[in-house]
Amino acid sequence: MSVVMMCVAVGMPATAQEAIDRVWNGHSVGFDLKLSDTHIYVAYYDANRQLTVAQRPLNNPAHWVYHKVDTWLGWDSHNLIAMAIDPEGALHVAGNMHVDPLTYFRSDASGDVRTLKRVAQMVGPEREAAMTYPVFLHSRSGDLIFKYRDGTSGRGDEIYNIYDASTQSWRRLTAAPLVDGEGKYNAYFMGPKQGPDGVFHMAWVWRDTPMADTNHDLSYAKSADLINWQKADGSPLTLPIRLSKAEIVDPVPVKGGMINNNTVVGFDDQGRVMITYHKYDPNGDTQIWVARFTGKDWERKQISQWRDYRWDFSGGGSLDSEIFVEGARPAGEGYLIVPVVRLGQSIEFVIRADDLSLTEERKLDGRAAQLAPRFEKSEGQQINTLETRKGNKTYVLGWMSYPPQRDLPRKDVPPPSVLKLFVESD
């Protein structure tokens, strides 16, 4: 496979472009990209919807190796793929689950994708028959953690497992689930995200039913070890966390314009935790908000000033989202940046670090817009991107697809798109 050198956008560094494979184009679903010290790993659904894992050496773009495992995607955009590398070098892949039994594969310690084998269970079947939202992360000591939802939307528990690489076995990290909806709610989490102090921070909403407009009560918890959880002021939380005992950052009501997945943790210039989210203002318009813990309580601030715009979402299934938010980050002395995408347009809100007041709302070309000249885009399609960084290089995965359509089949099966890897050098 030859490598073509090109420039993605004016002012950006030279970038190597590689075509990896032809992939499913019928609806968007989460792929994954991971780097070891020696290899690049990409997990995706191929043109026939089969879960495929490809690898190549970091220093050899011409040598991709492919392995297909025995699971195939339907039309459900919930069925994302998660991937991780454990301390011994083995590759772990989980995915294609939306209230489904465990679908999980593990390689040997070489990390060679051709050694991936299905593992029937992690801990036990009693909590592995209705799994959704697989996430791998690492503890502060480097141990591999796997979290997922057990149950259904509106009736689910958050489960954490920890992996012992020496025995190649999993066990429960905590005896109780992280959260208990008491048969009334389901908590939708973003995170945990590790802060500058090494502590894990997590934000979530409570949802009453599978209907997207029943999200409410933005909540927060933190933990140094993912076992013992606390409120922002350090007071302990007893597991499982219930709504009546949770720390409420903003009591957004049902049908208040807040949605799961858009409650994202970030940090200010002093390392203090912040949460980006959206809700309706008194006029019924959708607005971007940030909340920051000041040491005593949560300070909440509306940072957008949009007029005559309302994302009025409702119903079940995967939505074609109009807004995506990211966590706040420092941006020079005295300022923070809050990245947002609205209706495909990338925006950076520049706010003052002291009082969170808005100084500028600037439009810019996001990653998808930068890569657009490198794809043949049909009407109604979108560019999906995923990126990570190692050393002085940024690795960006890009592919075309149609957006989600409530997890319902299309009337036809569109031709596949090309999955591409772009490698930018500083």
Side-chain angles (χ1 to χ4, degrees):
M1 183 184 297
S2 62
V3 177
V4 180
M5 298 304 296
M6 58 88 177
C7 184
V8 172
V10 175
M12 294 192 67
T15 303
Q17 173 183 318
E18 306 167 41
I20 300 174
D21 201 350
R22 295 184 181 275
V23 298
W24 174 241
N25 182 28
H27 65 280
S28 64
V29 63
F31 295 171
D32 206 357
L33 167 68
K34 289 293 185 290
L35 307 178
S36 71
D37 291 337
T38 58
H39 284 80
I40 300 171
Y41 296 93
V42 180
Y44 57 93
Y45 295 107
D46 71 6
N48 296 315
R49 307 196 226 187
Q50 188 170 7
L51 200 162
T52 304
V53 188
Q55 72 178 56
R56 76 157 172 84
L58 282 170
N59 59 1
N60 189 350
H63 193 244
W64 284 98
V65 173
Y66 302 83
H67 183 71
K68 299 181 185 298
V69 297
D70 62 333
T71 187
W72 287 260
L73 177 69
W75 289 94
D76 195 331
S77 290
H78 292 88
N79 291 35
L80 59 86
I81 305 169
M83 187 165 52
I85 302 162
D86 72 29
E88 300 297 318
L91 183 68
H92 300 246
V93 182
N96 203 21
M97 296 179 288
H98 184 201
V99 195
D100 288 309
L102 176 69
T103 302
Y104 163 59
F105 306 86
R106 186 172 65 234
S107 79
D108 66 20
S110 71
D112 189 327
V113 297
R114 292 166 293 190
T115 68
L116 283 167
K117 290 182 172 55
R118 182 184 280 268
V119 178
Q121 67 179 41
M122 282 188 169
V123 178
E126 68 281 354
R127 284 285 195 174
E128 296 177 1
M131 300 173 67
T132 312
Y133 304 128
V135 174
F136 289 104
L137 61 149
H138 290 87
S139 70
R140 295 174 74 173
S141 60
D143 291 322
L144 184 63
I145 306 291
F146 180 74
K147 81 179 190 82
Y148 63 97
R149 185 187 75 190
D150 170 45
T152 63
S153 180
R155 303 289 185 274
D157 295 329
E158 190 83 348
I159 306 296
Y160 281 69
N161 296 337
I162 185 170
Y163 186 67
D164 185 335
S166 64
T167 61
Q168 298 184 354
S169 62
W170 293 89
R171 60 176 174 82
R172 294 277 185 261
L173 183 62
T174 57
L178 178 60
V179 165
D180 178 12
E182 303 174 88
K184 303 175 183 177
Y185 321 106
N186 175 197
Y188 277 83
F189 294 90
M190 292 299 291
K193 183 174 182 179
Q194 198 166 16
D197 58 357
V199 173
F200 293 94
H201 303 260
M202 188 155 57
W204 72 91
V205 300
W206 301 84
R207 185 157 149 181
D208 294 349
T209 75
M211 302 299 104
D213 57 357
T214 64
N215 295 296
H216 56 92
D217 290 298
L218 177 63
S219 301
Y220 167 84
K222 67 178 182 179
S223 175
D225 57 10
L226 300 173
I227 299 173
N228 301 289
W229 290 84
Q230 301 173 329
K231 295 183 178 181
D233 64 3
S235 57
L237 285 164
T238 301
L239 300 189
I241 302 169
R242 295 182 172 91
L243 176 59
S244 60
K245 301 295 184 180
E247 177 165 19
I248 306 301
V249 176
D250 192 340
V252 180
V254 168
K255 300 183 183 293
M258 183 175 63
I259 197 168
N260 49 288
N261 300 331
N262 273 347
T263 58
V264 183
V265 169
F267 304 93
D268 71 4
D269 53 347
Q270 298 180 39
R272 292 177 295 184
V273 64
M274 296 182 64
I275 303 172
T276 308
Y277 60 107
H278 55 76
K279 64 177 182 177
Y280 300 141
D281 68 12
N283 295 321
D285 290 323
T286 297
Q287 305 290 357
I288 303 298
W289 286 68
V290 292
R292 177 173 63 186
F293 187 69
T294 63
K296 294 182 179 180
D297 53 22
W298 286 93
E299 173 187 17
R300 303 191 297 266
K301 189 83 170 184
Q302 177 185 324
I303 61 172
S304 66
Q305 300 296 331
W306 296 332
R307 295 293 177 263
D308 301 319
Y309 170 69
R310 178 183 174 97
W311 180 22
D312 195 4
F313 51 83
S314 61
S318 300
L319 305 181
D320 185 5
S321 297
E322 294 186 10
I323 297 177
F324 300 92
V325 305
E326 295 183 28
R329 65 173 187 264
E333 187 174 355
Y335 294 94
L336 307 172
I337 285 178
V338 181
V340 172
V341 176
R342 185 182 77 148
L343 298 171
Q345 173 64 62
S346 294
I347 300 168
E348 284 186 345
F349 291 94
V350 183
I351 60 177
R352 297 185 185 278
D354 56 356
D355 63 3
L356 306 180
S357 61
L358 179 68
T359 64
E360 184 182 2
E361 178 183 344
R362 59 193 184 202
K363 297 179 180 179
L364 66 159
D365 285 342
R367 182 65 76 182
Q370 294 165 3
L371 296 182
R374 304 299 157 181
F375 289 90
E376 295 182 5
K377 184 178 178 182
S378 298
E379 183 178 356
Q381 289 185 320
Q382 64 186 36
I383 298 175
N384 308 285
T385 65
L386 182 65
E387 61 185 85
T388 189
R389 186 170 175 84
K390 190 176 184 66
N392 68 337
K393 294 183 178 180
T394 300
Y395 298 81
V396 184
L397 207 61
W399 71 100
M400 300 295 309
S401 77
Y402 288 94
Q405 52 174 27
R406 306 282 182 169
D407 307 323
L408 299 174
R410 294 176 57 84
K411 293 181 179 179
D412 58 8
V413 175
S417 64
V418 178
L419 178 66
K420 298 182 181 181
L421 179 69
F422 305 89
V423 184
E424 298 174 358
S425 299
D426 293 346

